[in-house]
């Protein structure tokens, strides 16, 4: 795999989406997903140079955020520099509803589910090395999530509903995206996240006047 990935920096950065897809597909066949140092550097280098391509391509490869995607997100956000690049991109996707339309450098303009960014963030905040940058972005992320909750009570396109059903089946999530199970006890390791002692299931609708 490294023979495919390695080469000149210029050559690699011209085909970032292809390399991200190749890494994802090859890791899917590996039981131990401890990514080696060379691959760590490759992912982080690409993310620093082209964060949009890396984030959007990974969301397209694994919208429900499987174990391979989690391993890749862990590698990407393990550096503060790359976390600073990734979080704004995830927020940009998160703020759209029901689909985020964008194009990557390989001319792929297929839609991305904002719920896919939600799934990725859910996994990221539960990683032991959860990035401190989340503290800065939390207010924006929270507002974007509230908007998703509100929008999902008003409209649920077929494609989004089908995607959510897949996530629900694979990850044992609530049947509706506007119902969420959250943790309510603060975690001393990550005080900006909910802790791990008590679960509460919330079903709520948001009513707001925009001025």
């Amino acid at each position: 795999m490294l023979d495919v990935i390695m080469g000149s920096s210029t050559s690699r950065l011209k085909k970032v989406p292809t390399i991200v897809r190749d890494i994802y597909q090859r890791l899917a066949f590996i039981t131990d997903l401890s990514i080696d140092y060379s691959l760590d550097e490759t992912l982080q280098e690409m993310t620093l140079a082209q964060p949009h391509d890396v984030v959007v391509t990974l969301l397209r490869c694994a919208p429900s955020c499987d174990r391979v995607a989690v391993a890749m997100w862990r590698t990407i956000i393990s550096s503060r520099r790359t976390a600073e690049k990734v979080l704004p991109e995830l927020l940009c996707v998160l703020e759209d509803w029901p689909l985020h339309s964008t194009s990557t450098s390989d001319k792929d303009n297929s839609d991305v589910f904002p719920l896919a960014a939600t799934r990725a963030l859910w996994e990221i905040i539960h990683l032991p090395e959860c990035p401190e940058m989340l503290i800065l972005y939390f207010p924006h992320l929270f507002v974007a999530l509230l908007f998703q909750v509100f929008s999902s009570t008003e409209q649920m396109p077929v494609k989004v509903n089908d995607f959510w059903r897949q996530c629900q089946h694979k990850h044992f999530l609530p049947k509706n995206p506007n119902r969420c199970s959250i943790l309510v006890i603060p975690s001393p390791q990550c005080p900006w996240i909910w802790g791990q002692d008590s679960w509460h299931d919330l079903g709520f609708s948001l009513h707001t006047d925009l001025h």
Side-chain angles (χ1 to χ4, degrees):
M1 178 168 62
L2 290 177
D3 289 339
V4 176
I5 294 171
M6 294 304 171
S8 70
S9 296
T10 303
S11 172
R12 274 182 281 166
L13 295 177
K14 285 181 179 178
K15 49 187 179 183
V16 166
T18 301
I19 296 173
V20 172
R21 284 192 296 269
D22 188 65
I23 292 173
Y24 173 81
Q25 291 167 1
R26 291 170 185 267
L27 287 178
F29 296 99
I30 299 175
T31 303
D32 182 6
L33 289 180
S34 300
I35 302 180
D36 67 39
Y37 182 70
S38 298
L39 200 48
D40 282 358
E41 285 194 325
T42 301
L43 272 172
Q44 291 176 359
E45 178 186 338
M46 290 191 301
T47 303
L48 286 173
Q50 292 181 230
H52 174 79
D53 275 6
V54 173
V55 168
V56 172
T57 303
L58 186 49
L59 290 175
R60 284 176 177 149
C61 288
S64 63
C65 203
D66 57 21
R67 67 185 188 95
V68 175
V70 171
M72 292 177 70
W73 286 120
R74 179 188 292 114
T75 297
I76 291 169
I77 60 92
S78 62
S79 162
R80 180 185 176 88
R81 294 173 65 209
T82 51
E84 288 177 349
K85 298 281 188 177
V86 163
L87 290 174
E89 293 292 338
L90 285 172
L91 178 61
C92 182
V93 177
L94 195 69
E95 288 175 333
D96 280 350
W97 180 269
L99 298 170
H100 178 71
S101 299
T102 189
S103 179
T104 43
S105 60
D106 59 348
K107 308 304 180 185
D108 184 354
N109 60 358
S110 55
D111 291 328
V112 180
F113 291 108
L115 282 174
T118 307
R119 281 286 309 133
L121 280 166
W122 173 256
E123 296 294 344
I124 287 172
I125 66 174
H126 284 84
L127 291 174
E129 61 275 19
C130 176
E132 294 182 2
M133 290 299 298
L134 271 175
I135 298 175
L136 298 178
Y137 282 94
F138 179 79
H140 303 287
L141 296 171
F142 184 67
V143 170
L145 287 169
L146 284 179
F147 180 77
Q148 277 198 19
V149 171
F150 173 72
S151 299
S152 67
T153 64
E154 299 296 315
Q155 57 172 324
M156 181 57 70
V158 175
K159 289 174 66 176
V160 178
N161 190 50
D162 290 344
F163 167 68
W164 184 258
R165 287 179 182 276
Q166 294 174 20
C167 289
Q168 192 272 334
H169 176 74
K170 186 176 295 184
H171 302 285
F172 306 103
L173 300 175
K175 291 184 179 180
N176 298 307
N178 59 353
R179 292 189 64 81
C180 55
S181 294
I182 66 168
L183 294 159
V184 298
I185 304 300
S187 169
Q189 289 81 15
C190 298
W192 62 92
I193 327 172
W194 290 287
Q196 305 191 6
D197 296 309
S198 177
W199 288 88
H200 285 262
D201 186 46
L202 294 185
F204 62 98
S205 59
L206 176 67
H207 300 280
T208 183
D209 294 320
L210 300 178
H211 299 284

